[in-house]
Structure formats: structure tokens, C-alpha cells
Amino acid sequence: MKNNNPRKTGGPPGKNKRGGSKFSMNRDPFFSNSKRRKKNVDEDIESEEEEDLDGGMSNGGGESGEEEEELAPEETAEEKRQRIAKVLVEKLRAREKELEDEEDEEGEREFEKEGERDSFVAKKLMQQQLEDSGRLRRAIASRVQKPGSVDGFEVLVKHRQSVTGVCLSDDDSKGFSASKDGMILHWDVESGKAEKYQWPNEEILRSHGTKNPEGRVTKHSRNVLALAVSTDGRYLASGGLDRHVHLWDTRTREHIQAFPGHKGPVSCLTFRQGSSELFSGSFDRSIKIWNVEDRAYMNTLFGHQSEVLTIDCLWQERVLAVARDRSMQLFKVHDESRLIFRSSTSSLECCCFIDNSEFISGSDDGNIALWGVQKKKPVYIVKNAHALSTDVNSGELKDNGRNYSGHIASWVSSVGACRGSDLAASGAGNGSVHLWTIEGAGKGIQPLHDLPLIGFVNSLAFAKSGKFLVAGVGQEPRLGRWGHNSAARNGVAIQRLKLL
């Protein structure tokens, strides 16, 4: 084969002093023609891509299109946030322009410049951010119309036994409920269509992290006492008498993990908003912190001297908890400190954050109290908030066959608040749910409306928009069987609220 390289065909290479041939990388064909060869290869590749592109376009697509899609750069987290923010701003601008056009026809308002609309959108975004963070309280209570006699609670989902916990997704479209028989339901708020979560067998539970039950118990109890859903709606947590925290995938409704560690029944659960941190309270007087993304245990909070009954958490790393030691404690996880609020007369049963600086509680003597982080005593107390009314005696209230006094019926078993607003609710066993107006600057609590509902109201959850309230109702209290109301219906009831 003829060699076309001029460096080789032009004669023998030069000699060195010893008479041998002088080696040079520049004269080597591999090194000397590297740039030229690379250029030729690049030109050949480009021509092939052009041919493939032409062929692919004529054939309706081909491998080159797939390669281009694979080579497209992936969107980073920062770019995704910017894209979502731009879409949100454009939607608000379009919405404001529609309102402007409608009101211009009526002659009420007119934007003279495009910048005025942008400033209005910026103010609206700032207000929304302040409301979501709890630094600005929304005025919703004054807009709630009094429900008519026909517009009462409606049974949305039925359970076989008393409902112990209800919670709503962040977009208020889905709801979750659990009962004493271990049934966990995932339901749609509008239609009420429910789907059941299936408990796995003992072998799968052990593979997911459960430990053998202690004492005479031979298998894990399915009695669920608490329920919580993450902010992104991906994880659902449940806890009960088996002393484990169970983690479920809401998309597939399958059991994915079990967290052991508590030495007593898990009585309450809550997620920190906007994060994967899960807090669990137990009868063993402790509060444990878990990371559901990493499936890992993080820390344990101590301080209560009796069973922890209810916990709540907002965006900050602060956990509010009440126990049967007549105290409510605010744990500052990051600072490793806590604030203690004591009730001198009764045992606190439930609590709920209103915002980062105020919260409410319910006690077994029927009182509802408003608290602030600046004072260790209640700012305002509503005494005997759930007095036993005479028109609810159609259902027999019995305890082991004996009629009991109205003390158990007026026992405040649940409280709830529309986050960042002045609207709150409380439930007991007296046959009604009370709506309350939380006045600003710790001025007090004023009654708003009474909503009839027969049974023990064991759990309450407000929609983020304040347009409805869901209640978990049962014939028995959540943590015991010391009362029974045969006229009550076990299930989830919903109250639609009409806002002005």
C-alpha cells in the first residue's frame, strides 16, 4: 500500500551524532496528523448527523431526535424555582388584568400604568407569604355566615368504630381518617369516595422494622390513635397501641416503614410543615423526632411527667405538647430548650397552634384557654365552653350501664384552628361543635356559631382556605371507653362554611 505521508516519502530522516535515526513526535504520523484527523472525524460526524436529521425529518423522527432529547441539559433546582415563580406571577397578572377589565366597565377602578398592576401583584404575593408564615393573621371569622338548620354537618365517610384522627392534605383536596379498629381511609373531599389502606402481614411488618410485641400480646395491635400527613402529601404516618410509628405511601397506599422505639402507645403525631421531620408523642412521656425521607431516628425530647396526649407544629422547629401532668410545653428543638405553661385546676387534653406566638388548649373541665409565648398563664379562659344541652339527650350516655354526669360530655376532646387566621373550633361530647373568633393581640376568644353534631368529636381539621371543617366522630372517646353514645354515627363529618 502506497504511503501518502510526505514526511516519510521525502527521504530518510536525519541522523544524530551516534548515527542513529533521530526520533521526533512531530514526525510520527499518529501525532503529526492528530489535529487533521480530528477535524476530518468531526466533519464526517457532522455530515452523518445532517443525513440522519434529514432522514429523520422525512420519516417523522428518528434516532437523532432521541439523542438530542437525551443530550438536553437537565433543569436545576434553582431554575425550577424561578420557572414556578414566573408562572405564578404571570397567573396573578392575568387574573388582576381580568379583574381590572371587569371593574373598568363598572367604573370602580382603573390602573393608569402597567407598573401599578405589578406593584399590586407584589403586595399580594407579600401578603400571601406573610399569611403562610403566620406573621399576618387573616380575618376569616367575620366572613363566616351562620349555617342554616339544613346546612349542618354531613357524614362524608363511614367507619365501623370510633374515629380517632382526621387530617387534610395541603391543597384541601384529599382527607385521611383512622379508627379504633385499625381502618385507615383515604378519601376525596368533594365526592367522599374512599379508598382503604391494607395492613401487611406480620412477616412484612418485621421486614419493615417492627419489633416483636412485648408482654402477653402475640401480634401487633391495629388500633390507631393518631394520624398525620406530610406537607407534600407523599407520606402518611399512623400510630397506636402497638408502640410503633407506621409510615405509608399515599400514592400507592402501601406500608413502607415502621419506626420502633416508644415504650408506650403512640398517642399523637404531627409533621413539621414544609419538611420531612415527623414528631411522635407517646404514653411513655417522650416525644421522638424522625426523618421520613431518610427513614431514620433523629432525637428524643423529654420534659413531661405523664402521658403525652396531643402535639402540634408549624414551620419552625417548635413543638407544642400537652400531657396529663397539667402542663403544656413548647419545645425549641434547635435551641434545646423549652417553655412550660401550667394549668392549675385541670388536666389539659388538646392543643393547637394559631400562629407562631399564640395557641389554644382544651381541658377536661370544659374550659378553653388562649395562650401566648410571653406569659406562662392563659391570656384568656372560656369556662364551661361545652355545657351539656338538653336537646341532645336523645342519645343515651352510659358508662358501664350507668348514666354518667355531663362532665364527660363537656370534656373538651379536640380543638382546631384555621392556620394563620382568627377562626378556631372546639369539640366535645355534648352534641355540638363550637366556632370561635380569636381576637388579635391576645384580647380573648368570642363565640361565633354552634354546629350540632351528636357524638364524641375526637379530631378536628380546618381547610387551609377556611371553606370547610371536618370532624372525626365516634360513639366513644379517642383514648378510652369510659363513655358511650349509641345515637352517634362513627365516621367523618364535614361542615361547609359559606364566606362573605
Side-chain angles (χ1 to χ4, degrees):
M1 181 177 178
K2 186 178 180 180
N3 192 347
N4 296 324
N5 192 333
R7 295 183 182 272
K8 287 189 175 182
T9 57
K15 304 282 185 177
N16 56 15
K17 294 181 179 180
R18 296 182 179 180
S21 61
K22 183 179 180 181
F23 176 79
S24 176
M25 292 177 61
N26 295 330
R27 296 185 178 184
D28 189 275
F30 180 83
F31 296 97
S32 62
N33 295 334
S34 60
K35 294 184 179 179
R36 185 177 300 172
R37 291 173 71 252
K38 184 176 181 181
K39 183 176 180 181
N40 294 336
V41 172
D42 292 342
E43 290 175 357
D44 294 340
I45 292 175
E46 291 176 0
S47 63
E48 290 176 1
E49 287 183 354
E50 290 175 358
E51 292 177 0
D52 293 341
L53 182 62
D54 296 337
M57 293 177 61
S58 61
N59 296 330
E63 295 182 357
S64 61
E66 296 178 358
E67 291 178 358
E68 289 179 359
E69 290 180 0
E70 293 177 357
L71 295 176
E74 295 183 359
E75 188 180 32
T76 63
E78 183 64 25
E79 292 174 349
K80 184 177 181 180
R81 283 194 293 268
Q82 292 180 0
R83 177 176 57 82
I84 294 175
K86 289 179 181 179
V87 171
L88 178 60
V89 170
E90 291 299 328
K91 286 183 179 180
L92 288 176
R93 283 178 177 173
R95 177 59 181 164
E96 190 57 36
K97 195 174 187 316
E98 292 177 2
L99 294 176
E100 177 189 348
D101 296 339
E102 294 175 359
E103 294 180 359
D104 282 347
E105 296 177 357
E106 301 175 359
E108 295 181 3
R109 186 184 66 179
E110 181 179 359
F111 285 113
E112 296 180 357
K113 299 179 180 180
E114 186 72 20
E116 294 184 10
R117 184 186 300 114
D118 292 343
S119 63
F120 186 82
V121 171
K123 290 180 181 179
K124 195 169 184 179
L125 288 172
M126 181 64 69
Q127 181 180 2
Q128 183 178 356
Q129 195 273 337
L130 291 174
E131 290 176 354
D132 292 341
S133 62
R135 287 179 286 178
L136 181 64
R137 184 170 294 179
R138 296 176 292 166
I140 295 181
S142 59
R143 299 166 51 199
V144 177
Q145 299 182 18
K146 184 177 181 179
S149 57
V150 186
D151 304 329
F153 273 99
E154 300 176 2
V155 178
L156 188 66
V157 180
K158 295 181 180 179
H159 281 262
R160 288 194 295 266
Q161 293 188 19
S162 297
V163 175
T164 55
V166 294
C167 56
L168 295 171
S169 60
D170 195 57
D171 58 356
D172 298 336
S173 62
K174 300 290 184 181
F176 306 88
S177 59
S179 56
K180 288 186 176 182
D181 58 355
M183 180 183 293
I184 301 176
L185 295 180
H186 178 172
W187 33 271
D188 184 80
V189 172
E190 294 297 331
S191 63
K193 184 180 178 181
E195 298 174 343
K196 185 179 178 181
Y197 283 65
Q198 297 291 339
W199 283 90
N201 55 38
E202 293 292 325
E203 183 178 355
I204 297 179
L205 284 176
R206 283 193 294 270
S207 66
H208 288 177
T210 59
K211 294 185 177 179
N212 294 328
E214 300 177 1
R216 298 180 180 179
V217 183
T218 58
K219 64 178 181 178
H220 289 276
S221 172
R222 302 293 171 84
N223 191 327
V224 179
L225 299 178
L227 210 61
V229 63
S230 59
T231 307
D232 57 3
R234 182 179 176 183
Y235 298 106
L236 178 70
S238 66
L241 297 182
D242 66 346
R243 307 177 182 181
H244 287 75
V245 178
H246 296 277
L247 196 62
W248 307 79
D249 191 337
T250 58
R251 297 167 297 182
T252 59
R253 300 187 305 279
E254 293 181 355
H255 187 278
I256 55 178
Q257 186 69 34
F259 297 126
H262 280 294
K263 298 180 180 180
V266 179
S267 56
C268 45
L269 293 166
T270 185
F271 276 93
R272 184 163 77 93
Q273 296 184 9
S275 74
S276 59
E277 290 184 13
L278 172 66
F279 299 89
S280 61
S282 171
F283 281 11
D284 63 3
R285 302 176 293 176
S286 69
I287 298 173
K288 292 187 181 296
I289 310 175
W290 316 87
N291 190 306
V292 296
E293 287 288 350
D294 299 335
R295 314 283 199 271
Y297 160 80
M298 296 178 63
N299 197 3
T300 302
L301 306 177
F302 296 99
H304 281 291
Q305 304 302 316
S306 186
E307 297 93 339
V308 180
L309 302 179
T310 308
I311 57 176
D312 195 19
C313 184
L314 293 180
W315 292 89
Q316 298 180 353
E317 272 191 304
R318 295 186 175 185
V319 186
L320 184 68
V322 297
R324 286 190 174 140
D325 56 3
R326 295 186 178 182
S327 72
M328 176 168 54
Q329 301 189 18
L330 180 62
F331 294 88
K332 300 180 180 180
V333 180
H334 181 72
D335 300 334
E336 295 184 354
S337 62
R338 57 193 173 101
L339 300 176
I340 303 177
F341 308 89
R342 298 194 181 277
S343 175
S344 58
T345 59
S346 60
S347 174
L348 299 176
E349 292 293 319
C350 50
C351 64
C352 180
F353 270 112
I354 299 174
D355 51 33
N356 292 323
S357 59
E358 289 185 339
F359 33 89
I360 58 175
S361 66
S363 56
D364 61 358
D365 61 354
N367 293 347
I368 295 176
L370 175 65
W371 306 75
V373 294
Q374 303 297 332
K375 295 183 179 181
K376 292 188 177 181
K377 293 184 179 180
V379 177
Y380 193 85
I381 298 178
V382 179
K383 295 185 178 181
N384 200 17
H386 284 266
L388 186 62
S389 56
T390 57
D391 58 345
V392 215
N393 290 331
S394 56
E396 259 186 44
L397 301 176
K398 292 184 177 181
D399 183 12
N400 295 330
R402 302 187 301 271
N403 290 333
Y404 61 82
S405 63
H407 169 69
I408 297 179
S410 61
W411 190 322
V412 180
S413 54
S414 59
V415 291
C418 186
R419 302 293 192 189
S421 74
D422 58 350
L423 181 62
S426 62
N430 68 325
S432 65
V433 173
H434 293 347
L435 296 181
W436 306 92
T437 301
I438 309 296
E439 297 182 349
K443 293 181 179 179
I445 306 174
Q446 300 300 328
L448 186 61
H449 301 304
D450 291 346
L451 309 174
L453 182 61
I454 299 177
F456 290 92
V457 182
N458 296 321
S459 182
L460 290 170
F462 267 105
K464 192 175 181 180
S465 60
K467 293 184 178 180
F468 62 88
L469 170 68
V470 293
V473 192
Q475 296 181 351
E476 299 172 351
R478 179 173 76 100
L479 298 176
R481 304 188 66 182
W482 49 78
H484 186 82
N485 190 342
S486 58
R489 299 175 64 182
N490 299 322
V492 178
I494 184 171
Q495 173 69 57
R496 312 282 181 178
L497 300 177
K498 297 180 180 179
L499 304 179
L500 294 175

